[in-house]
């Protein structure tokens, strides 16, 4: 059965004492005097038998900061298996083994090679083992032990801050807390007094004190005044070893500032102030500045100024400049040297923030006298009013006086004044003014409906010194007279259904009047006398500034009359009464059974009823194709070379302009009626185009037919211009007939179409008598007759 033996470890201590050793097991032998041998004998792990042992140690102390020249001896390692024959070898491992701690492998002696510092590492844990030198196998199990460094006083106290800053209010009581300083000592606080710190004050007495154990700094002097001294520098010392001689120490600086309290009232440096101010000083302008001194700072030095009494109490005011704490005296009312030239004021300065603790020091306010001398200046004229309001009727004659403004020189000299109108405010020169007496009169007619108010400015200047001038606004209101007749509020164009019934309302009328009525407008409506008895409609006045148009009969016919023009007379009730005649356009339209308008154009009557939608679309497509064909044909015609008027003797044509439209034969009446070119009376004004669907309810405008005495060229140009500018005119590729040929011609018909109906030859010699325009025809027809004779 294998047996394990424990080691005894021998430590050397410079001062062997029981307090240096911490026994952790039972004591089996006496305490050694010089060496401590720890003989560790082991027993078998398979039985519980333990051999008798001496001391068993696992914690020892070693002094730090060893100053000897040799290595510091720590202890000796020894095994029961060591017979002294050198067969065993001792091995040391753990913290600092081989570097900080070395062992003699033959004897087991352990030494420290360097100075140890407890503040760097207070405890080292090592492991010891004995092995067979030949085989290298351990003969004992590994044993662990601790080396604890014993502290010495080698560190002075260190404050947490190099400089402390603190503040307290001035005039604080004795014992008022200021700040607490703290110092720490790196030495072991559990051993001796090396880390026991005591505080003391080196500089700062008798103003402050410090508690020795806590480091709390307090005030030590009563009524410390900031105004006398604001900054204090206190030096505090911290000493270890409980403050005993030989202890180490450290210091710190504490900067203490006394903060301000309101313990000083404001005081004026002088009792009387004097200022001079011109009487023309504008309102709110500064007259002067005064200041009361206050030794306090910040809000404790804030001062509020006020005028408490004096004969200029209401003429002047005073405010506080927040930056400089000065009192600024300003003008509240206009000054007048002629009325009063000296004012005496009493001004008071008081702190805004008062500390009740210091009221015993006296009232925190002070007063001073201010004398203000008003100086005379040359003043501009002064108007009797700040503004003038005048009224004038719009029908007043020119040069009528509407009002008067007055101004005078306020100075004692009473210089004369002249008046004028600022033309920048009266660009149209509607008004003028008498420069001597200030009477304003009209220079142009007035119209209230154009401009109700006229705002002008009148200038008053001294005659001797025109630079001294003043201005006043004049507001002129134009009063209304009844000079405008009422009129329709809008243009009325309405319709009536063909199937309308009698007494049916078709339109409600309303009117407006540009004039102003104090009691409100009251309009009356009636039909014009020429339409009152013969009209197909009636008018009913609703007595509420509206009127209604009613049908007088049942059913209307578009074929007979498509448009009615109904004249309506509108009158007001003002004086003098104004009236006007307005016209209402009424069109006759086809409507459904519910009265909804379907069509108002007369050409809709020609369309056969009952056409389907497909038929209407087909007709529309045909019309479009026809129009495209005409356009293309006209374009091709323009590219051809123009042919002479008459190509040969046999080709005599009646129409000079060829339209290339033969239509559907003699029975085709939908193309154009050539008869309209011959007879002006054949024009039907109500006849509309049949080749397009009507799009609007408007009837094309027609102009009167020019008679015989009007020049043909002017007439054609006039009609051409009308067709170009008329939105209801037919498109450009449709035939536009001018219906001009006059009532007859002395030459009758020149057409060759009728020549076939005559049996005899015609004599064309009379063409030569018609002038140079017919010379070509005379030559052609004359030559033909000569050919026949030959």
């Amino acid at each position: 059965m294998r047996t394990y033996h424990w080691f005894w470890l021998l430590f050397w201590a410079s001062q062997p004492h029981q307090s240096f050793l911490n026994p952790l097991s039972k004591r089996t032998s006496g305490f050694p005097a010089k060496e401590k041998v720890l003989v560790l004998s082991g027993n078998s792990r398979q039985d519980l038998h333990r051999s008798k042992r001496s001391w068993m140690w696992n914690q020892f102390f070693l002094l730090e900061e060893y100053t000897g020249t040799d290595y510091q001896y720590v202890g000796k390692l020894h095994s029961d298996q060591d017979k002294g024959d050198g067969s065993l070898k001792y091995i040391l491992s753990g913290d600092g083994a081989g570097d900080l701690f070395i062992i003699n492998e033959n004897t087991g002696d352990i030494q420290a090679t360097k100075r140890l510092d407890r503040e760097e590492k207070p405890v080292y844990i090592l492991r010891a083992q004995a092995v067979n030198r030949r085989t290298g196998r351990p003969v004992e199990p590994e044993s662990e032990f601790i080396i604890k460094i014993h502290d010495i006083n080698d560190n002075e106290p260190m404050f947490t801050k190099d400089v402390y800053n603190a503040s307290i209010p001035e005039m604080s009581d004795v014992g008022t807390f200021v700040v607490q300083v703290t110092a720490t000592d790196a030495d072991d606080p559990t051993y001796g007094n090396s880390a026991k710190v005591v505080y003391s004050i080196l500089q700062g007495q008798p103003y402050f004190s410090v508690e020795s154990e806590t480091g709390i700094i307090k005030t030590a002097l009563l009524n410390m005044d900031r105004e006398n001294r604001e900054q204090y520098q206190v030096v505090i010392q911290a000493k270890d070893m409980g403050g005993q001689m030989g202890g180490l120490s450290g210091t710190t600086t504490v900067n203490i500032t006394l903060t301000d309290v309101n313990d000083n009232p404001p005081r004026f440096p002088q009792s009387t102030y004097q200022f001079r101010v011109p009487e023309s000083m504008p309102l709110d302008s500064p007259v002067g500045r005064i200041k009361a001194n206050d030794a306090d700072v910040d809000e404790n030095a804030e001062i509020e100024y006020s005028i408490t009494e004096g004969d200029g109490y209401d003429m002047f005011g005073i405010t506080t400049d927040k930056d400089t704490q000065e009192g600024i005296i300003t003008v509240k009312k206009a000054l007048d040297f002629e009325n009063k030239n000296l004012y005496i004021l009493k001004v008071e300065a008081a702190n805004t923030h008062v500390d009740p603790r210091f009221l015993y020091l006296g009232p925190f306010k002070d007063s001073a006298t201010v004398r203000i001398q008003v100086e005379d200046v040359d003043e501009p004229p002064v108007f009797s009013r700040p503004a003038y309001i005048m009224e004038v009727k719009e029908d007043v004659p020119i040069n009528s006086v509407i009002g008067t403004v007055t101004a005078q020189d306020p100075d004692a000299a009473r210089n004369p004044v002249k008046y004028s109108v600022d033309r920048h405010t009266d660009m149209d020169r509607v008004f003028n003014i008498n420069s001597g007496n200030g009477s304003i009169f009209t220079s142009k007619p007035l119209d209230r409906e154009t401009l109700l108010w006229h705002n002008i400015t009148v200038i008053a200047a001294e005659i001797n010194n025109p630079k001294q001038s003043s201005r006043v606004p004049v507001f002129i209101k134009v009063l209304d007279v009844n000079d405008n007749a009422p009129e329709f509020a809008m243009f009325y164009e309405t319709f009536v259904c063909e199937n309308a019934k009698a007494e049916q309302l078709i339109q409600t009328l309303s009117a407006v009047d540009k004039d102003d009525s104090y009691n409100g407008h009251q309009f009356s409506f009636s039909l014009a006398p020429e339409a009152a008895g013969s009209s197909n409609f009636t008018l009913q006045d609703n007595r509420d500034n509206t009127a209604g148009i009613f049908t007088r009969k049942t059913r209307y016919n578009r074929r007979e009359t498509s448009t009615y023009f109904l004249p309506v007379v509108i009158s007001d009730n003002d004086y003098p009464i104004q009236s006007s005649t307005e016209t209402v356009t009424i069109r006759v339209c086809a409507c459904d059974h519910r009265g909804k308008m379907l069509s108002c154009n007369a050409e809709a009557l020609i369309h056969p009823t009952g056409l389907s939608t497909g038929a209407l679309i087909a007709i529309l497509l045909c019309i479009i194709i026809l129009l495209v064909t005409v356009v293309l044909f006209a374009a091709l015609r323009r590219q051809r070379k123009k042919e002479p008027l008459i190509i040969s003797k046999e080709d005599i044509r009646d129409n000079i302009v060829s339209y290339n439209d033969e239509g559907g034969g003699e029975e085709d009446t939908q193309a154009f009626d050539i008869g309209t070119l011959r007879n002006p009376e054949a024009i039907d004004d109500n006849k509309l185009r049949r080749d397009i669907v009507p799009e609007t309810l408007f009837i094309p405008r027609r102009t009167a037919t020019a008679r015989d005495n009007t020049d043909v060229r002017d007439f054609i140009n006039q009609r051409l211009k009308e067709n170009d500018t008329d939105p209801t005119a037919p498109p450009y590729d449709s035939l536009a007939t001018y219906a001009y040929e006059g009532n007859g011609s002395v030459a009758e018909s020149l057409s060759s179409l009728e020549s076939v109906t005559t049996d005899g030859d015609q004599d064309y010699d009379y063409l030569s008598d018609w002038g140079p325009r017919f010379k070509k025809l005379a030559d052609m027809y004359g030559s033909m007759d000569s050919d026949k004779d030959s």
Side-chain angles (χ1 to χ4, degrees):
M1 181 172 62
R2 186 177 178 179
T3 303
Y4 294 95
H5 300 278
W6 294 89
F7 290 103
W8 286 93
L9 187 62
L10 178 63
F11 287 96
W12 170 260
S14 61
Q15 295 180 357
H17 193 275
Q18 186 176 356
S19 60
F20 293 171
L21 305 174
N22 292 335
L24 300 181
S25 61
K26 291 184 178 181
R27 181 177 302 180
T28 56
S29 63
F31 184 83
K34 294 182 180 180
E35 291 184 344
K36 311 301 183 292
V37 180
L38 178 63
V39 180
L40 303 177
S41 61
N43 53 4
S44 176
R45 292 186 178 181
Q46 299 179 1
D47 56 32
L48 299 177
H49 177 72
R50 297 173 64 98
S51 59
K52 186 177 181 180
R53 298 171 298 178
S54 295
W55 290 95
M56 186 180 71
W57 311 90
N58 71 344
Q59 177 172 307
F60 298 92
F61 287 96
L62 186 65
L63 288 177
E64 67 171 336
E65 301 296 343
Y66 174 70
T67 58
T69 57
D70 297 333
Y71 289 163
Q72 187 177 4
Y73 185 77
V74 178
K76 185 179 181 64
L77 183 67
H78 183 74
S79 173
D80 292 342
Q81 301 294 329
D82 190 358
K83 304 300 183 180
D85 55 359
S87 61
L88 295 182
K89 182 174 65 173
Y90 297 96
I91 299 174
L92 187 66
S93 61
D95 295 339
D99 180 18
L100 184 59
F101 300 102
I102 58 175
I103 187 172
N104 189 316
E105 62 179 14
N106 296 321
T107 63
D109 293 327
I110 301 173
Q111 292 177 312
T113 62
K114 299 179 180 179
R115 296 173 59 183
L116 302 179
D117 189 355
R118 188 199 67 85
E119 286 70 36
E120 292 182 2
K121 189 175 180 63
V123 175
Y124 296 87
I125 300 176
L126 299 172
R127 293 180 297 277
Q129 191 176 35
V131 299
N132 188 288
R133 187 184 295 273
R134 185 174 57 82
T135 63
R137 298 180 62 181
V139 298
E140 299 286 352
E142 190 177 57
S143 179
E144 184 178 86
F145 62 95
I146 297 174
I147 299 177
K148 195 170 185 181
I149 307 303
H150 179 66
D151 183 52
I152 63 174
N153 189 18
D154 59 344
N155 291 280
E156 70 275 6
M158 300 291 293
F159 283 94
T160 57
K161 295 181 181 180
D162 294 334
V163 177
Y164 288 83
N165 294 300
S167 62
I168 58 169
E170 63 173 332
M171 309 298 289
S172 297
D173 296 333
V174 175
T176 301
F177 174 84
V178 179
V179 70
Q180 182 177 12
V181 297
T182 303
T184 58
D185 196 315
D187 293 326
D188 188 0
T190 63
Y191 176 76
N193 295 325
S194 298
K196 186 177 181 181
V197 178
V198 173
Y199 300 95
S200 60
I201 184 169
L202 300 182
Q203 176 181 323
Q205 294 175 332
Y207 307 103
F208 301 95
S209 62
V210 63
E211 293 184 355
S212 60
E213 295 182 358
T214 62
I216 296 176
I217 300 175
K218 297 181 180 180
T219 58
L221 189 64
L222 187 64
N223 296 333
M224 286 189 292
D225 192 359
R226 184 199 65 84
E227 287 72 33
N228 293 331
R229 182 178 178 183
E230 184 177 3
Q231 299 286 340
Y232 294 87
Q233 190 175 74
V234 178
V235 178
I236 302 297
Q237 182 189 65
K239 190 174 185 180
D240 60 11
M241 297 298 292
Q244 297 178 5
M245 185 176 293
L248 303 178
S249 64
T251 60
T252 187
T253 301
V254 182
N255 295 322
I256 302 175
T257 303
L258 297 184
T259 60
D260 186 60
V261 297
N262 192 9
D263 58 342
N264 294 279
R267 292 290 181 264
F268 282 107
Q270 59 191 69
S271 60
T272 303
Y273 296 84
Q274 292 188 3
F275 299 100
R276 305 179 70 87
V277 58
E279 62 175 336
S280 60
M281 177 73 70
L283 298 182
D284 298 326
S285 299
V287 175
R289 290 173 175 255
I290 60 176
K291 183 177 181 180
N293 298 325
D294 194 325
D296 297 321
V297 294
D298 299 332
E299 68 174 13
N300 296 318
E302 292 182 0
I303 300 174
E304 187 73 24
Y305 294 90
S306 61
I307 300 176
T308 57
E309 58 183 70
D311 51 4
Y313 180 82
D314 58 340
M315 298 295 294
F316 300 92
I318 188 168
T319 58
T320 303
D321 188 332
K322 299 300 182 182
D323 296 330
T324 62
Q325 296 301 315
E326 292 178 314
I328 306 173
I329 301 175
T330 58
V331 178
K332 291 175 58 178
K333 293 184 178 181
L335 302 176
D336 189 357
F337 173 82
E338 288 72 23
N339 292 333
K340 189 174 180 61
N341 56 18
L342 179 62
Y343 295 90
I344 300 176
L345 309 176
K346 184 177 181 180
V347 178
E348 183 178 85
N351 282 137
T352 57
H353 302 279
V354 178
D355 194 336
R357 298 177 300 171
F358 305 104
L359 290 178
Y360 67 91
L361 296 177
F364 282 76
K365 59 184 178 180
D366 195 13
S367 60
T369 301
V370 178
R371 297 170 57 89
I372 301 176
Q373 182 72 44
V374 180
E375 297 178 344
D376 186 26
V377 295
D378 187 8
E379 300 176 85
V382 177
F383 283 94
S384 59
R385 300 180 190 175
Y388 292 86
I389 299 178
M390 301 178 183
E391 294 182 347
V392 57
K393 289 187 176 182
E394 61 178 327
D395 61 347
V396 69
I398 297 177
N399 295 327
S400 297
V401 177
I402 62 175
T404 303
V405 298
T406 58
Q408 63 179 1
D409 183 11
D411 297 324
R414 291 291 189 266
N415 294 321
V417 176
K418 64 177 180 179
Y419 303 91
S420 61
V421 176
D422 186 355
R423 291 305 174 188
H424 293 91
T425 61
D426 186 22
M427 301 291 292
D428 297 330
R429 296 181 176 270
V430 180
F431 301 96
N432 212 331
I433 191 171
N434 188 306
S435 61
N437 57 21
S439 59
I440 300 174
F441 56 90
T442 60
S443 57
K444 288 185 179 181
L446 303 176
D447 186 7
R448 188 200 69 87
E449 287 71 35
T450 302
L451 187 59
L452 177 60
W453 283 92
H454 294 267
N455 302 329
I456 66 174
T457 299
V458 175
I459 303 173
E462 294 182 7
I463 296 178
N464 299 333
N465 186 10
K467 293 183 179 180
Q468 292 295 334
S469 63
S470 57
R471 298 167 176 262
V472 67
V474 179
F475 307 102
I476 303 173
K477 182 179 181 182
V478 181
L479 301 179
D480 184 50
V481 295
N482 192 24
D483 58 347
N484 290 278
E487 57 188 15
F488 279 155
M490 57 179 292
F491 175 74
Y492 289 102
E493 183 177 19
T494 185
F495 72 94
V496 61
C497 295
E498 286 184 310
N499 56 355
K501 298 179 181 180
E503 301 300 327
Q504 180 178 341
L505 177 65
I506 63 173
Q507 181 66 49
T508 300
L509 308 176
S510 62
V512 293
D513 195 335
K514 294 181 180 179
D515 293 322
D516 187 15
S517 178
Y518 295 102
N519 299 323
H521 291 293
Q522 294 181 6
F523 303 125
S524 60
F525 299 84
S526 63
L527 291 177
E530 64 271 14
S534 61
S535 176
N536 292 299
F537 303 91
T538 60
L539 183 68
Q540 178 181 336
D541 193 343
N542 298 327
R543 304 299 180 184
D544 60 353
N545 292 338
T546 63
I549 300 177
F550 294 84
T551 57
R552 175 173 284 182
K553 64 179 183 178
T554 301
R555 301 190 64 81
Y556 293 82
N557 193 340
R558 280 186 293 169
R559 295 183 181 91
E560 296 177 357
T561 304
S562 61
T563 305
Y564 293 93
F565 299 97
L566 189 64
V568 178
V569 178
I570 313 172
S571 302
D572 56 21
N573 65 336
D574 292 332
Y575 179 82
I577 295 177
Q578 300 287 343
S579 63
S580 65
T581 301
E582 302 285 335
T583 302
V584 180
T585 303
I586 305 175
R587 303 189 184 279
V588 182
C589 303
C591 304
D592 57 13
H593 65 283
R594 293 176 296 180
K596 183 178 180 181
M597 181 182 64
L598 298 178
S599 175
C600 291
N601 292 343
E603 61 203 28
L605 300 174
I606 303 174
H607 286 264
T609 59
L611 289 178
S612 63
T613 304
L616 294 176
I617 295 175
I619 294 173
L620 182 60
L621 290 177
C622 292
I623 294 173
I624 294 175
I625 293 173
L626 179 60
L627 292 176
V628 173
T629 303
V630 172
V631 172
L632 293 177
F633 187 76
L636 292 176
R637 293 269 305 173
R638 292 178 181 176
Q639 296 179 359
R640 295 181 182 178
K641 183 178 180 181
K642 293 185 178 180
E643 297 179 353
L645 181 61
I646 298 178
I647 300 176
S648 65
K649 297 180 181 179
E650 291 76 18
D651 192 5
I652 306 294
R653 300 189 182 183
D654 182 50
N655 292 334
I656 296 176
V657 179
S658 176
Y659 293 93
N660 293 322
D661 186 1
E662 292 183 354
E666 294 180 355
E667 295 179 357
D668 182 12
T669 61
Q670 300 296 324
F672 60 87
D673 186 5
I674 196 64
T676 59
L677 293 174
R678 298 189 176 94
N679 189 2
E681 279 74 19
I683 298 175
D684 186 2
D685 291 338
N686 295 327
K687 188 174 181 179
L688 302 177
R689 295 181 52 201
R690 301 177 183 178
D691 57 339
I692 60 174
V693 178
E695 296 179 352
T696 63
L697 300 179
F698 297 98
I699 295 177
R701 295 187 291 104
R702 299 291 185 181
T703 58
T705 304
R707 294 302 177 178
D708 299 340
N709 296 331
T710 304
D711 186 75
V712 176
R713 181 179 300 172
D714 295 338
F715 170 76
I716 292 176
N717 291 335
Q718 177 185 353
R719 294 302 299 274
L720 179 60
K721 182 177 179 181
E722 291 174 356
N723 279 273
D724 289 340
T725 59
D726 190 355
T728 62
Y732 68 91
D733 55 352
S734 298
L735 176 63
T737 61
Y738 294 93
Y740 184 85
E741 198 176 27
N743 293 326
S745 175
V746 295
E748 296 180 351
S749 176
L750 299 178
S751 174
S752 61
L753 298 176
E754 295 183 358
S755 63
V756 298
T757 61
T758 60
D759 296 334
D761 296 332
Q762 298 185 22
D763 184 11
Y764 298 101
D765 293 336
Y766 59 88
L767 294 176
S768 300
D769 300 332
W770 289 2
R773 296 186 178 182
F774 293 88
K775 186 176 185 304
K776 182 65 175 178
L777 292 176
D779 294 340
M780 289 192 301
Y781 284 88
S783 62
M784 291 177 62
D785 294 340
S786 64
D787 292 340
K788 287 181 181 182
D789 295 337
S790 64

